[in-house]
Amino acid sequence: MNNFSRRHMLAATAGGLLTTTALANAQAAGPLKFKPGNGGFARQAVELPPGEKVAYHDPKDVAELSDFHFSLDGTVPKVTSGGWAKEATVHQFPISKGIAGVHMFLEPGASRELHWHAIAAEWAFIIDGRCQTVVLDPSGASEINNYGPGDLWYFPKGHGHSIQTIGDKPCHFILSFDNGAFSEHGTFSITDWIDVTPKDLLALNFGVPKDLFDAFPKGETYIQAGPVLPASEALDAPWPGESTHKFSLLHDNRAVREFDGGTFRLATVDEWPISKTMSGGVMTIKPGAMKELHWNVNANEWHYYLRGKAQVVLFGSGGRSKVAEFKPGDVAYIPQGYGHAIKNVGDDDLEIVQTWDNGKFEEIDLTKWVKSSPRYLLGNNFAGVPGTTITRLKQT
């Protein structure tokens, strides 16, 4: 019998599960076609004749791999008197279900008004300039922090906060949120709230005459222009210890994680206890180098490209893969568990702001997995591959 031993046949016959048709198929040349129920049930499972050499994935059985590239800075900004913001949410970028992102620019003297987010925590990386945040938590405690390039902040979901430019230079930064449905159009802003609340109720709430509210803005100011705040007048009242909302990514040695071909600075809940739902940092990759094939065990991954040119390959199981190129202002989204790698295909250093929607950072590298696997297992998985090649894979 072709590719079907006497042992196979006896085992199947003993279980009463091998039909005349199955025997005929076993003896026929070419690929075998199996039906539901072939192979038996429960404890009566039996071996079947070998099928295809490699598995075939019917496109109908696996959803098409979504586009994981989006030009955040190519979108239309939301502009008000003191600056602008551009966003990438699941509404513009359908694959990005777990994380949304914003590029925000504040003019000198401008402030992003007092507000909060009902559905997402906020993580930020300062690209350039200086700013100050004020945050209030449910206990009534508040913190005031000043930031420069390379600093991070994290505000838990629902905590009230604001952002104020310091000095005579603009400040801009990348914001990342742990909910892809979050939008800058859906923040709870103080001017918007006061505008739509009856004045007699406001008067009762604040203990002042209601006509005082005639001078308040009509609508949401969002980012409001104002007089420049000199650095010498910027208050700084951080919380003590590890509870602070600020992390100095470029100056804290705990953030350093080197790898072949580049550097990685990362702040997780282990280095920054308040950042319970997000991890994030900056990765720099040298020209021609790459962040090797890997996957994230417990989180979705989001990129904002600051500098350089990248090629990213995404593996989505079921025979699905996509390759895309990224330039400054682009974002990428890698769903949790999807294999991927990042290569610098430009002439300059590649610089990427990255975030994950989990305070714990976990990843597994393909090379480490291969090295830790027995040689006989690799030889079986990669049937037909010379043993010398397997040896080289384990030695890389």
Side-chain angles (χ1 to χ4, degrees), residues 99-134:
I99 303 173
V102 168
H103 185 183
M104 185 170 287
F105 189 99
L106 303 184
E107 300 285 357
S111 66
R112 172 69 176 94
E113 67 171 303
L114 295 158
H115 67 285
W116 75 93
H117 313 304
I119 64 171
E122 175 177 311
W123 180 99
F125 172 83
I126 308 299
I127 298 174
D128 198 19
R130 299 183 64 194
C131 66
Q132 177 185 95
T133 66
V134 179

Side-chain angles (χ1 to χ4, degrees), residues 270-339:
D270 296 325
E271 296 82 25
W272 192 19
I274 200 170
S275 187
K276 290 181 170 55
T277 68
M278 298 186 76
S279 300
V282 175
M283 181 175 290
T284 302
I285 303 176
K286 297 296 182 184
M290 68 180 287
K291 176 66 173 74
E292 63 185 339
L293 292 158
H294 65 286
W295 73 95
N296 299 106
V297 176
N298 64 339
N300 300 294
E301 177 175 323
W302 186 88
H303 303 171
Y304 174 84
Y305 287 83
L306 276 175
R307 181 171 55 147
K309 184 178 179 182
Q311 183 185 73
V312 181
V313 58
L314 180 68
F315 168 58
S317 77
R320 299 176 302 164
S321 181
K322 278 193 174 182
V323 178
E325 291 198 350
F326 295 81
K327 64 183 184 305
D330 290 345
V331 295
Y333 184 85
I334 313 296
Q336 179 177 328
Y338 280 43

Side-chain angles (χ1 to χ4, degrees), residues 124-186:
F125 172 83
I126 308 299
I127 298 174
D128 198 19
R130 299 183 64 194
C131 66
Q132 177 185 95
T133 66
V134 179
V135 61
L136 181 73
D137 78 0
S139 74
S142 63
E143 181 177 25
I144 301 175
N145 282 312
N146 296 332
Y147 300 82
D151 288 340
L152 311 179
W153 71 67
Y154 175 86
F155 302 138
K157 179 172 62 176
H159 288 204
H161 57 281
S162 61
I163 311 163
Q164 168 80 50
T165 307
I166 297 174
D168 57 4
K169 182 179 179 181
C171 183
H172 64 121
F173 39 87
I174 294 300
L175 301 173
S176 189
F177 305 88
D178 59 357
N179 187 329
F182 172 80
S183 170
E184 283 293 299
H185 301 287

Side-chain angles (χ1 to χ4, degrees), residues 4 8-10 12-13 15-23 26 47-49:
F4 194 48
H8 293 147
M9 183 179 70
L10 290 175
T13 305
L17 297 167
L18 186 62
T19 65
T20 303
T21 301
L23 276 171
E47 296 175 68
L48 291 171

Side-chain angles (χ1 to χ4, degrees), residues 143-291:
E143 181 177 25
I144 301 175
N145 282 312
N146 296 332
Y147 300 82
D151 288 340
L152 311 179
W153 71 67
Y154 175 86
F155 302 138
K157 179 172 62 176
H159 288 204
H161 57 281
S162 61
I163 311 163
Q164 168 80 50
T165 307
I166 297 174
D168 57 4
K169 182 179 179 181
C171 183
H172 64 121
F173 39 87
I174 294 300
L175 301 173
S176 189
F177 305 88
D178 59 357
N179 187 329
F182 172 80
S183 170
E184 283 293 299
H185 301 287
T187 56
F188 291 77
S189 300
I190 189 171
T191 55
D192 195 18
W193 195 6
I194 288 178
D195 179 49
V196 299
T197 302
K199 292 178 183 177
D200 58 343
L201 194 153
L202 291 170
L204 182 63
N205 185 82
F206 289 102
V208 298
K210 66 178 184 180
D211 59 356
L212 295 183
F213 294 97
D214 292 341
F216 278 63
K218 306 301 185 241
E220 180 191 27
T221 61
Y222 187 60
I223 299 173
Q224 177 63 44
V228 171
L229 173 65
S232 60
E233 298 179 16
L235 299 174
D236 197 10
W239 283 352
E242 295 183 325
S243 60
T244 178
H245 295 81
K246 177 180 177 180
F247 188 86
S248 294
L249 185 72
L250 301 187
H251 301 100
D252 196 317
N253 290 333
R254 295 175 299 168
V256 178
R257 301 190 181 204
E258 304 288 345
F259 65 95
D260 290 342
T263 60
F264 186 27
R265 285 186 170 268
L266 174 68
T268 74
V269 70
D270 296 325
E271 296 82 25
W272 192 19
I274 200 170
S275 187
K276 290 181 170 55
T277 68
M278 298 186 76
S279 300
V282 175
M283 181 175 290
T284 302
I285 303 176
K286 297 296 182 184
M290 68 180 287
K291 176 66 173 74

Side-chain angles (χ1 to χ4, degrees), residues 56-88:
Y56 168 69
H57 298 284
D58 190 333
K60 296 178 182 178
D61 295 335
V62 186
E64 182 181 355
L65 192 59
S66 300
D67 187 4
F68 67 102
H69 169 280
F70 183 75
S71 176
L72 187 157
D73 282 335
T75 61
V76 176
K78 179 178 180 179
V79 186
T80 53
S81 65
W84 53 260
K86 303 173 186 178
E87 68 179 8

